[in-house]
Amino acid sequence: MADELPGMTLKAIGIVRNAVKQPLKQGWENVVSEIVVKSSLTEALDNLDEFSHIIVLYWMHQVAGSKSPAKVHPMGKPEVPAVGLFATRSPHRPNPIGKTTVRLLKRQNNILTVEGLDAIDGTPVIDIKPYLPRYDSATNAKAAPWIAKQ
Amino acid sequence: MADELPGMTLKAIGIVRNAVKQPLKQGWENVVSEIVVKSSLTEALDNLDEFSHIIVLYWMHQVAGSKSPAKVHPMGKPEVPAVGLFATRSPHRPNPIGKTTVRLLKRQNNILTVEGLDAIDGTPVIDIKPYLPRYDSATNAKAAPWIAKQ
């Protein structure tokens, strides 16, 4: 399998602006951020504010280029046994893409104000999608028991 | 803003294998696919099968390089008024990344069998995450009224 197909290069469509300069261990739920989208994409944001929630994909630039281990301790807690990397949301992934569902508080031209985005100031945003409850949520989903320990 | 930051290049971590050679208009819910992950990443899949659902990020290679319009008709239906691209799940995005929540049926070594992945055969997979109900779903989410018309 080719590792890098032609064209698998990302363009930033915007950038995160908030007061968080280093990753938090917790408390992201209440962080309010602005997503400043490239002004050339302003029209493509029309109608987004008809949704209460949006999905933000972003590039975790601070860890990009770091090694991705096969196993990690969930939430970095040594007391929780290490599990496979892809069974966690660790940022140290082969492709450091973060995916967060956030509340959309406001859209003003090319600026989105959102609540709950767990990305630090300056993070490049690579996609924005409307959150579609029936498509994006799973009914009767079961998570691993060690998730509750986090 | 720099359009392409250093390191914003994706590596395929696996590939989709299924019977769907061209995109479907509907009926993806019942499609069963295999995600063949690079064998060097097999150990990183450990514990993933403790989750009933996973999130798959993939590169929509068939539309990569195509123009992304500012406005699109949802679901390509001309009778639904055009809306901003980012208010839709159109594949014609600046970064053609798809994001789907799927049911994980089985994991065997480096092969995941999943149900409901709306990606054609040969699609490069770029990330796999566990679906965490409290983190990934939004309560009381409101979608635009034209979503119901799709």
Side-chain angles (χ1 to χ4, degrees):
Chain A
M1 184 189 321
D3 249 17
E4 292 178 14
L5 300 186
M8 283 180 61
T9 300
L10 301 171
K11 300 185 255 283
I13 64 159
I15 194 161
V16 175
R17 287 297 173 209
N18 62 27
V20 185
K21 308 303 174 196
Q22 291 299 325
L24 305 176
K25 288 269 185 201
Q26 50 191 14
W28 285 107
E29 316 83 70
N30 306 316
V31 172
V32 172
S33 303
E34 283 185 352
I35 300 174
V36 182
V37 174
K38 284 170 69 174
S39 54
S40 59
L41 295 170
T42 302
E43 197 185 350
L45 296 172
D46 285 356
N47 307 94
L48 191 62
D49 55 4
E50 296 183 54
F51 296 84
S52 64
H53 292 76
I54 61 175
I55 294 169
V56 181
L57 299 184
Y58 50 96
W59 185 256
M60 298 183 282
H61 62 299
Q62 248 193 358
V63 298
S66 72
K67 271 199 167 174
S68 42
K71 301 267 175 130
V72 298
H73 293 279
M75 295 294 284
K77 293 189 178 177
E79 69 271 24
V80 184
V83 299
L85 174 72
F86 290 122
T88 76
R89 301 295 280 251
S90 164
H92 299 281
R93 322 179 76 75
N95 296 302
I97 298 177
K99 176 254 152 204
T100 309
T101 301
V102 300
R103 181 178 289 278
L104 177 60
L105 302 176
K106 190 169 67 172
R107 178 243 169 153
Q108 197 163 30
N109 298 317
N110 66 321
I111 298 179
L112 305 174
T113 306
V114 301
E115 185 182 56
L117 180 58
D118 46 357
I120 63 173
D121 186 54
T123 299
V125 173
I126 56 176
D127 202 6
I128 292 165
K129 300 178 191 289
Y131 175 80
L132 308 179
R134 274 185 294 181
Y135 180 77
D136 291 305
S137 74
T139 47
N140 302 320
K142 187 182 73 70
W146 41 265
I147 286 289
K149 292 184 192 154
Q150 289 183 1
Chain B
M1 184 188 325
D3 248 17
E4 295 178 12
L5 299 186
M8 283 180 60
T9 301
L10 300 171
K11 300 184 256 280
I13 64 159
I15 193 160
V16 174
R17 287 297 174 210
N18 62 27
V20 185
K21 308 303 173 195
Q22 290 300 325
L24 306 176
K25 287 268 185 202
Q26 51 191 14
W28 284 109
E29 317 82 70
N30 305 315
V31 172
V32 172
S33 303
E34 283 185 354
I35 299 174
V36 181
V37 175
K38 284 170 70 172
S39 54
S40 59
L41 295 170
T42 302
E43 197 185 351
L45 295 172
D46 285 357
N47 308 95
L48 191 62
D49 54 6
E50 296 184 53
F51 297 84
S52 64
H53 293 74
I54 61 175
I55 294 169
V56 181
L57 300 184
Y58 50 96
W59 185 257
M60 299 183 281
H61 61 300
Q62 248 193 0
V63 298
S66 72
K67 271 200 168 173
S68 41
K71 300 268 174 128
V72 297
H73 293 279
M75 296 294 285
K77 294 188 177 179
E79 69 271 23
V80 185
V83 299
L85 173 73
F86 290 121
T88 77
R89 301 295 278 252
S90 165
H92 299 281
R93 323 179 75 76
N95 297 301
I97 298 176
K99 177 255 152 202
T100 310
T101 301
V102 301
R103 182 177 289 275
L104 177 60
L105 301 176
K106 190 168 69 172
R107 177 246 169 150
Q108 196 162 30
N109 299 316
N110 65 321
I111 299 180
L112 306 174
T113 307
V114 301
E115 186 181 56
L117 180 58
D118 46 357
I120 63 172
D121 186 54
T123 300
V125 173
I126 56 175
D127 201 6
I128 293 165
K129 301 178 190 290
Y131 175 80
L132 308 179
R134 273 184 296 180
Y135 180 76
D136 291 305
S137 74
T139 46
N140 303 320
K142 186 182 73 70
W146 40 265
I147 286 289
K149 292 185 194 155
Q150 291 184 359

